[in-house]
Amino acid sequence: NKIILLLIRYLNGFKNIIQHIKEKGWFDRLFDYSWDEPTVAEYTKVKERTDLIKAADPAIPRQITLRFTPELEGYVTRWTPQINDILAHTTQIARGVSYPDSAVYETRKMLGEQVWWYQACGNVGCYIEGKEYTQGWPNFAIEYSSMTNRIFQWMTYKYRMQGELYFTVDYAYGRYGAMNGVKVELAESLLYFGGNGDGTLYYPGRPAEIGGATHIPLESIRLKLIREGYEDYEYLRAARLASGSDTLIDAKVNSLITNTFTWKDDPTLLYQLRQELAEIAAGTSTITRDAPKGVTVQ
């Protein structure tokens, strides 16, 4: 009985919060981050959590960071697999590793669910020396090429993902060096989870160092490159709408990207494609375009 009363109290609290958000006009941005990377042993708790959110308001997306799992079908409405879990890497195939056919995510979309994806330390090696498996994945770490920081959004377009998730942008603030209790100046070490800069995309802008009277966040070059990637994505969307052709725009993306871990680290090619996309979007391209077909862009 105590458990039932507690659940009712939580449910009423959720409903009050949801009503306030609706009154403010923010409901279209609301979602429940129901569970982060659940293990099989935690599936029962995931179901309990998502059932509670569904009872509060079934329209709220229920998001978990996990590839599609039949056991959670009907509970999750926003699947968010890690980029590493879409296609098996060549080194994994040799060991017999496989993942659900990526077509399953198109099925989920047709059922009214959403599909996002995310990056984590597996892209560079979680506290381990990166070897063959960790080569090629996009990432937001420091010591990689600018294309490595920027290519993720092109992949988001290629695989028709509906959103991207990243766990934080200021992890190193208030943290400790090697997790050994010794305070380390933020600018001296950003090594966490095996990747320099993982989870920290801003640097401290201190008045003593940059002038002014207030502390402000200073964006990293990586964050600027990520922004460029989002602009690239908008170029892709605009060109797709203007041309009415998935085939034309997909061919351009595919000339840059083979799969989630194989792509051309060639800024010259990227900017050439971006120019072509701009011309298509502006209607100045000499490329023969298909007749508009009512393209739907996510």
Side-chain angles (χ1 to χ4, degrees):
N1 290 337
K2 289 183 179 179
I3 293 176
I4 293 175
L5 290 174
L6 185 61
L7 288 174
I8 292 174
R9 186 178 302 171
Y10 275 131
L11 182 58
N12 289 334
F14 276 134
K15 287 182 176 179
N16 290 336
I17 293 171
I18 293 166
Q19 182 59 36
H20 173 74
I21 290 172
K22 287 181 175 179
E23 291 172 356
K24 291 292 185 179
W26 302 332
F27 189 73
D28 61 332
R29 284 162 279 178
L30 181 66
F31 68 94
D32 183 64
Y33 195 159
S34 301
W35 212 274
D36 184 62
E37 299 181 349
T39 63
V40 174
E42 293 173 322
Y43 284 0
T44 298
K45 293 181 180 179
V46 173
K47 293 176 181 179
E48 292 173 353
R49 168 74 185 192
T50 53
D51 274 344
L52 183 62
I53 299 301
K54 185 177 181 179
D57 194 317
I60 298 174
R62 303 183 295 276
Q63 180 168 357
I64 63 169
T65 45
L66 187 71
R67 59 180 175 268
F68 173 72
T69 303
E71 294 91 327
L72 296 176
E73 188 172 359
Y75 294 92
V76 177
T77 62
R78 182 182 286 172
W79 301 94
T80 310
Q82 187 175 345
I83 187 174
N84 306 59
D85 290 346
I86 298 299
L87 297 172
H89 193 276
T90 48
T91 60
Q92 294 177 301
I93 294 173
R95 303 197 309 270
V97 175
S98 63
Y99 294 120
D101 187 329
S102 58
V104 71
Y105 296 113
E106 294 307 313
T107 300
R108 305 323 302 175
K109 293 176 191 176
M110 292 174 63
L111 292 171
E113 298 172 0
Q114 295 181 350
V115 183
W116 290 26
W117 63 353
Y118 73 109
Q119 299 185 38
C121 63
N123 297 31
V124 296
C126 301
Y127 294 116
I128 62 173
E129 180 183 353
K131 296 186 178 179
E132 187 179 355
Y133 169 76
T134 62
Q135 305 306 306
W137 303 106
N139 67 67
F140 298 154
I142 292 172
E143 65 270 34
Y144 290 81
S145 73
S146 59
M147 287 281 289
T148 304
N149 299 150
R150 182 173 178 170
I151 199 69
F152 190 41
Q153 286 71 45
W154 289 75
M155 292 185 182
T156 293
Y157 182 91
K158 176 179 174 66
Y159 290 95
R160 302 297 194 267
M161 293 296 175
Q162 297 167 298
E164 299 174 2
L165 176 71
Y166 191 58
F167 75 112
T168 187
V169 298
D170 59 354
Y171 187 83
Y173 285 76
R175 297 291 174 173
Y176 294 87
M179 305 295 183
N180 60 2
V182 179
K183 182 72 173 179
V184 174
E185 163 61 37
L186 186 150
E188 297 294 328
S189 177
L190 291 177
L191 179 60
Y192 296 97
F193 310 107
N196 278 309
D198 189 10
T200 305
L201 301 178
Y202 288 93
Y203 296 100
R206 301 181 176 109
E209 297 166 356
I210 66 171
T214 60
H215 290 257
I216 63 172
L218 299 179
E219 63 272 26
S220 64
I221 297 297
R222 291 168 293 134
L223 187 60
K224 292 175 181 288
L225 289 165
I226 295 165
R227 179 191 63 195
E228 292 292 303
Y230 285 121
E231 290 177 357
D232 295 340
Y233 182 88
E234 294 303 325
Y235 272 66
L236 289 161
R237 291 179 71 249
R240 183 181 177 192
L241 286 171
S243 68
S245 173
D246 284 334
T247 303
L248 173 63
I249 309 306
D250 286 347
K252 293 188 178 299
V253 175
N254 292 338
S255 70
L256 181 65
I257 300 170
T258 301
N259 56 41
T260 50
F261 52 86
T262 309
W263 45 276
K264 297 174 183 175
D265 195 345
D266 184 353
T268 301
L269 175 58
L270 184 148
Y271 278 108
Q272 174 189 327
L273 292 172
R274 181 163 159 144
Q275 178 65 31
E276 293 174 2
L277 294 169
E279 292 174 357
I280 293 171
T284 59
S285 174
T286 57
I287 298 174
T288 301
R289 298 189 293 275
D290 298 338
K293 299 176 182 177
V295 176
T296 299
V297 178
Q298 296 289 350

